[in-house]
Each structure stands twice: as C-alpha cells, then as structure tokens.
C-alpha cells in the first residue's frame, strides 16, 4: 500500500514524534506544542494537524491515568471543558477559510506568546471568585486557538497555573482539556476531509513511537537538568515560531 507521504516526510514525522514525546517525558511540555511547529515546517500545518491527534490522545491518557482525581476534575472544571467545544467549532470554521501558511503564521504568534509565558513563569494567583467567571472564557478561547492552529495550551495553561492547584489536579485538568480538544479536532478534521486513512495510519504508528519517547524522556530526566532542557527547548520553539511567521508574510 502506497501512502500519501514521501519517505523523507515519514522520517521527519516519526523523528518529530520521538523528539516531542521525549521532551514531554523530560519537561512535561505538551506533545502537540513541540511537534506541531516541526511538522508545520516539514509537511505544512493543515497536513500536520491530523497526524498529532492519536499520539497526543495516547500520551494524554497515560498522564490522566497516572494523575487520578478524574471525577474531582470534571466537577470543578466542567464549565471550562464544555466551553472548549463551541470554541473549537468556530476555530475549525476559521481554519477552513485560511491557507496553510497563514495558519502556520498564527501558530507562530501563539507559540511566541506561550514561550514568553513558559520562560517567565510568572507567579500569578487568580482569586477564587474569578475561577468560575474566567473558566468558560478560557475554555472558549482555547478552543478557538486550537481549531485554527492545533495549539492546545493558550490560554488554558496560564489560567490553570494561576489557580495554584495541587500538581495532580493540575495535570488531570490540563490533560482532560487536551484530550477533549483532540477528540473534537478529530471529528472536525474528518468533516474537513483532512483526517484521511493515510493520516490515521501514520498517527497510529506515531502513537507507538510516542510511548517509547515518553519512557525515554523519563530516563533522560534522571540524567539531565530538566530546567536546562526546558530552556533549550523554548529557544528552539521561538526559532521555529519566527520561521512560521516569516513563511506567512
């Protein structure tokens, strides 16, 4: 069976999956956050979006199983999670109207914002009274950004970090958001005709590589400074973000 991807594209895709999963294992940075800019530069953003669905869901479910507190997370953050769905629908509608380079440029801008936040790690505390008010807004905006760019971290990651919740509750909440977004994205991309059989096959193979990368990342974390790796990764993401923006101009 002949795939729609060339040999060098498959090598680039699987190498990206391995690197992104290893980075997630070392630093905890999202799989899609690391893999999408690389894939956008090698195969194009619209073509990359369906490829990360299954590996992303697989890695997220692994973290969710380990974190526990699933019921508590749903009871507390259901407004944010529910508001993600209409945001994704709007974002996917916008994705259908823009070309690949433009969507890549938007991803580059979102990536720069995320890198600035990840580097600064501001100690922001959101008063408890604002959690319910901002939760649906955060979820909706995250859905819109995710639908257009595939990025799942803005602004839900800063929102959850500002709540200063316990680590496992944070991990469960953010990965619930990631997983829900990925599942809705799969439906939307299928309707757009992008989530093809070939993309599914490559994505399934990528999930197997992602599991290996997560295990490798755990071993690397024990031998390497996670903070040094995180800073190097942020620098690389900034460079890729500028490349995507330049391509869109």
């Amino acid at each position: 069976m002949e795939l729609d991807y060339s040999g060098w594209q498959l090598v680039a895709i699987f190498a990206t999956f391995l690197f992104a999963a290893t980075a997630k294992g070392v630093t905890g940075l999202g799989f899609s956050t690391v893999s999408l800019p690389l894939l956008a530069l090698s195969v194009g953003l619209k073509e990359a979006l369906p490829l990360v669905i299954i590996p992303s869901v697989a890695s997220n479910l692994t973290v969710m199983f380990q974190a526990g507190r699933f019921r508590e997370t749903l009871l507390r953050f259901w407004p944010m999670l529910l508001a993600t769905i209409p945001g994704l629908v709007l974002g996917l509608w916008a994705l259908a109207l823009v070309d690949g380079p433009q969507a890549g440029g938007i991803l580059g801008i979102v990536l720069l914002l995320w890198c600035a936040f990840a580097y600064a790690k501001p100690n922001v505390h959101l008063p408890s009274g604002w959690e319910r008010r901002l939760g649906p807004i955060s979820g909706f905006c995250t859905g819109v950004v995710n639908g257009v760019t595939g990025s799942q971290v803005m602004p839900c990651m800063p929102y959850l970090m500002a709540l200063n919740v316990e680590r496992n509750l944070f991990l469960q909440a953010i990965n619930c958001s990631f997983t829900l977004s990925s599942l809705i994205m799969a439906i939307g991309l299928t309707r757009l005709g992008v989530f093809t059989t070939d993309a599914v096959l490559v994505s399934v193979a990528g999930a197997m590589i992602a599991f290996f990368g997560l295990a490798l990342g755990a071993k690397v974390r024990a031998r390497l400074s996670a903070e040094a790796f995180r800073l190097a990764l942020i620098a690389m993401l900034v460079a890729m973000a500028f490349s995507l923006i330049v391509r869109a101009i």
Side-chain angles (χ1 to χ4, degrees), residues 81-164:
L81 296 172
L82 195 61
T84 304
I85 299 175
L88 267 165
V89 173
L90 179 59
L92 286 166
W93 173 79
L95 177 65
L97 300 179
V98 301
D99 59 27
Q102 286 178 327
I106 298 171
L107 173 60
I109 294 171
V110 173
L111 202 57
L112 286 178
L113 293 173
W114 163 243
C115 287
F117 181 85
Y119 177 76
K121 290 196 295 186
N123 186 21
V124 180
H125 178 66
L126 193 65
S128 58
W130 284 91
E131 177 179 337
R132 282 276 178 174
R133 300 174 192 173
L134 294 182
I137 298 174
S138 171
F140 181 81
C141 293
T142 299
V144 173
V145 172
N146 187 13
V148 178
T149 69
S151 176
Q152 301 171 332
V153 295
M154 295 295 285
C156 70
M157 181 78 83
Y159 165 73
L160 290 172
M161 290 177 68
L163 296 178
N164 294 317

Side-chain angles (χ1 to χ4, degrees), residues 192-226:
L192 291 176
V194 181
F195 203 20
T196 62
T197 302
D198 284 353
V200 170
L201 291 174
V202 173
S203 193
V204 169
M208 301 176 189
I209 295 173
F211 280 123
F212 177 76
L214 285 171
L216 179 62
K219 292 182 179 180
V220 171
R221 186 173 62 238
R223 298 173 175 268
L224 184 71
S225 167

